[in-house]
Amino acid sequence: MTALTGLAALATAWVAPAGTARTAQPWRPVVMAALGDSISAGFNACGWYLTCASRSWSTGDHQSVRSQYARLRALDTAIAGHNVNLAVPGSTSADLAGQVTRAIGRRADYVTVLIGAQDACVSEERLMTPVAVYERRVAEALALFRAGRPGGRVFVASVPDLKRLWQIGKGNPVARGFWAIGRICPTMLARPTSTSAANRARRDRVRARVAGYNAALARVCAAYGPACRFDGNEVFRQRFTVGHLSPWDFFHPNAAGQKLIAEKTYAMMRDWLTDDATEPVPAPVPAPAPVL
């Protein structure tokens, strides 16, 4: 027996001790992209009607926010500088496929999605995006991402509870002034002090539409498979306060609100970052919070 064949025999005969498990390398994205609307763009988080990508909960790099990107960069510097914010204020689900195409062009291997508020925040209820249309658009956009970046992963955040934002600001005359002048989310925020049955019912219907969008997100993400993580309505059920809202519109999250979203969403995908030996289990989807 030669030395070479002896080594080969030893290698063949070696068996891992009982209880030894193979561990895969923890997942680490290299290029991250934020997709969605004004929330992910950081709109009004640092100035008067400005897009503040540095304060985005997703890809922001400002230390006050501790975004998902900042937390991922602390784990592995390979992602440093590869944070792309493709979210556009005013975007609806109809715009998501275009953003996905741009993310593929930037070779993103991890994208976050937060979109839907503008599908509900329209001038009249009849113009709100139907849930079935919203679901189809999101599913088609994520299918594009899977085809273009088959090894990529997706984090889907729930749409915030618009009625909670109304509840926070309805008693504040400054907030009501901004809502009226800026025509901000009329379906929910028009006639904010009215207690009539018609206006209460309108707010409840808008809230129900947002809950329908979030249920659709859960279905689309589950169909995508373990490479997609839905937040289980974590953002929707957050009890945001006035201290989390921009003082320039009392609607968009300020830096503190962006930080809260980052903290809550990052916690939902932490298992991806520690041990990839088993497939991640999607977060449970609790029932929507009771109507306020």
Side-chain angles (χ1 to χ4, degrees), residues 30-263:
V30 175
V31 179
M32 176 182 181
L35 311 180
D37 55 27
S38 52
I39 297 177
S40 292
F43 185 76
N44 268 1
C46 69
W48 178 269
Y49 283 75
L50 296 175
T51 295
C52 306
S54 64
R55 267 74 165 184
S56 169
W57 68 273
S58 173
T59 54
D61 56 12
H62 196 274
Q63 60 183 3
S64 66
V65 173
R66 293 201 66 223
S67 68
Q68 280 202 13
Y69 162 73
R71 295 164 191 257
L72 291 168
R73 185 182 59 191
L75 294 176
D76 191 334
T77 57
I79 198 174
H82 300 294
N83 50 326
V84 183
N85 197 314
L86 301 174
V88 179
S91 293
T92 70
S93 55
D95 303 303
L96 186 58
Q99 293 182 16
V100 165
T101 298
R102 291 191 287 278
I104 292 169
R106 302 294 289 268
R107 303 188 61 79
D109 53 358
Y110 175 50
V111 297
T112 66
V113 175
L114 201 175
I115 200 159
Q118 292 300 319
D119 287 88
C121 285
V122 286
S123 58
E124 301 176 45
E125 279 187 79
R126 65 182 180 83
L127 299 177
M128 292 192 299
T129 304
V131 172
V133 173
Y134 176 87
E135 183 167 357
R136 173 178 55 78
R137 289 171 174 174
V138 175
E140 290 173 352
L142 294 194
L144 279 176
F145 184 70
R146 165 170 271 165
R149 301 294 289 162
R153 298 197 186 192
V154 182
F155 185 91
V156 180
S158 52
V159 183
D161 186 349
L162 300 178
K163 192 175 181 185
R164 175 63 183 170
L165 300 180
W166 164 79
Q167 186 187 51
I168 294 169
K170 65 184 174 68
N172 185 324
V174 177
R176 296 197 305 267
F178 277 118
W179 295 347
I181 293 171
R183 292 189 55 78
I184 298 172
C185 198
T187 44
M188 177 60 74
L189 301 180
R191 299 176 293 283
T193 59
S194 174
T195 59
S196 71
N199 283 307
R200 292 199 307 268
R202 166 179 54 84
R203 296 178 195 120
D204 289 345
R205 288 192 298 271
V206 175
R207 186 178 191 268
R209 183 62 58 92
V210 170
Y213 294 162
N214 287 333
L217 293 175
R219 290 190 294 269
V220 171
C221 201
Y224 194 99
C228 182
R229 175 66 49 84
F230 177 56
D231 77 353
N233 281 323
E234 187 68 24
V235 174
F236 177 82
R237 67 169 176 257
Q238 284 307 305
R239 303 283 292 176
F240 293 104
T241 69
V242 70
H244 295 119
L245 300 183
S246 168
W248 295 291
D249 63 11
F250 290 86
F251 183 79
H252 291 92
N254 60 14
Q258 294 280 352
K259 181 179 181 179
L260 179 61
I261 296 172
E263 176 186 336

